[in-house]
Amino acid sequence: MSAATRRTSPGARSRRAPDRLCAEAVELARAAAEETAGPGSVGAWLEAVADADRVVTHFFEAQEPGYRGWRWAVTVARASRAKNVTVDESVLLPGPDAVLAPEWVPWSERLRPGDLGPGDLLPTDADDLRLEPGFTGEDEPLPDSPVADRPGDAGPSRAAIAAVAEEIGMGRPRVLSRFGLHTAADRWEESYGPKTPMAQAAPASCMSCGFLVPMAGSLRQAFGVCANEYSPADGHVVSLSFGCGGHSEAAVMPRTPQPPPPVVDETVADPLGPAEEPGGDGPGSTPAG
């Protein structure tokens, strides 16, 4: 039995006994690996694994920089009743302890809040669950269609409906779906909700704060926008149960006391006379001769 056959791994030998001639073709496999990798890139022979009848793969250490634990795999085979062994393929494969790159993750799954910068474009899937078709009027029938509006028809015209839809902001190809609304509400509740440390220490909730700007639609029942520039939630959507130390009624500053007006005594007249010169004896005095 050759050295190549003796060094075959126990696992490979238990699965299938390698063909003797193919297992002994170590130098043929090494030459094929060096032809692919280049001189000096193929290391010691590791093992021979039987892939099928008269098909064996030889593994060699890969000495390529940056490919620690990788192996050159050369598959050899021979035809039935033939003694000539030929090379099928030669490829670089990772071994059990090989250093591998992390599994590739699509960009849509790697994206995180705040990654979008100026000039970046974030495409939205056509079947995004957060969105649903809106009213744009594009599906309206043609003017000569049998179902088109006719003069004198009862009810509002399609043009009037389109004008109202545009007025209330419905003239968009897609609008927020119920699923998208709920996911946004959960996200806002987690960031600025009653379970945050800021809300736990607040003297009162945003529901009674004068800086709260209510939202429209169904979100008005649970959320608003903070308009206090000194609050950490300024400009953010906050839950009505959220709160902070900047509550408008938390600590009302007392007014600065005003000093009393001056008192003027108008019952007594102050004597007013000509001003005396310094060193003089009074009015009309003459200097000593």
Side-chain angles (χ1 to χ4, degrees):
M1 182 177 292
S2 64
T5 306
R6 290 196 302 270
R7 294 185 60 181
T8 303
S9 62
R13 190 180 303 111
S14 63
R15 294 192 300 269
R16 186 190 301 269
D19 180 77
R20 183 180 62 85
L21 295 179
C22 292
E24 292 177 350
V26 177
E27 296 303 325
L28 176 65
R30 178 183 294 276
E34 291 180 349
E35 182 180 359
T36 304
S41 298
V42 181
W45 180 88
L46 298 176
E47 61 176 347
V49 178
D51 299 324
D53 293 338
R54 298 177 298 279
V55 179
V56 176
T57 299
H58 293 270
F59 292 94
F60 301 88
E61 291 182 355
Q63 297 181 349
E64 297 283 346
Y67 284 84
R68 189 185 67 188
W70 287 63
R71 306 183 298 181
W72 283 104
V74 180
T75 303
V76 297
R78 70 180 180 90
S80 177
R81 299 181 181 180
K83 296 183 179 180
N84 294 330
V85 179
T86 58
V87 176
D88 284 354
E89 62 176 353
S90 179
V91 66
L92 183 64
L93 297 177
D97 301 328
V99 177
L100 301 176
E103 183 179 357
W104 183 81
V105 180
W107 67 267
S108 57
E109 299 179 13
R110 299 195 307 266
L111 196 65
R112 293 293 179 266
D115 291 348
L116 193 65
D120 295 338
L121 298 179
L122 179 60
T124 305
D125 295 336
D127 55 351
D128 196 323
L129 298 178
R130 301 171 299 172
L131 300 172
E132 61 186 14
F135 180 84
T136 60
E138 295 181 356
D139 55 347
E140 298 297 330
L142 298 175
D144 56 351
S145 175
V147 296
D149 291 332
R150 302 296 181 183
D153 290 346
S157 64
R158 296 183 184 272
I161 296 177
V164 174
E166 185 71 24
E167 180 70 21
I168 62 179
M170 293 181 59
R172 294 172 289 171
R174 289 188 292 178
V175 295
L176 196 64
S177 65
R178 192 171 186 84
F179 172 78
L181 186 66
H182 286 173
T183 53
D186 294 340
R187 189 170 59 252
W188 298 337
E189 189 83 14
E190 182 179 357
S191 301
Y192 297 98
K195 297 182 180 180
T196 58
M198 181 68 70
Q200 296 290 336
S205 64
C206 295
M207 184 180 297
S208 58
C209 182
F211 295 106
L212 180 73
V213 180
M215 300 187 68
S218 58
L219 293 175
R220 184 186 182 96
Q221 303 175 6
F223 296 97
V225 179
C226 179
N228 187 352
E229 61 178 326
Y230 300 109
S231 171
D234 179 38
H236 293 276
V237 178
V238 296
S239 171
L240 297 183
S241 302
F242 181 73
C244 68
H247 195 283
S248 61
E249 312 304 324
V252 180
M253 295 291 294
R255 293 185 176 181
T256 304
Q258 298 293 332
V263 178
V264 180
D265 189 359
E266 300 179 350
T267 61
V268 178
D270 296 333
L272 299 177
E276 297 182 359
E277 297 181 0
D281 296 333
S285 59
T286 57

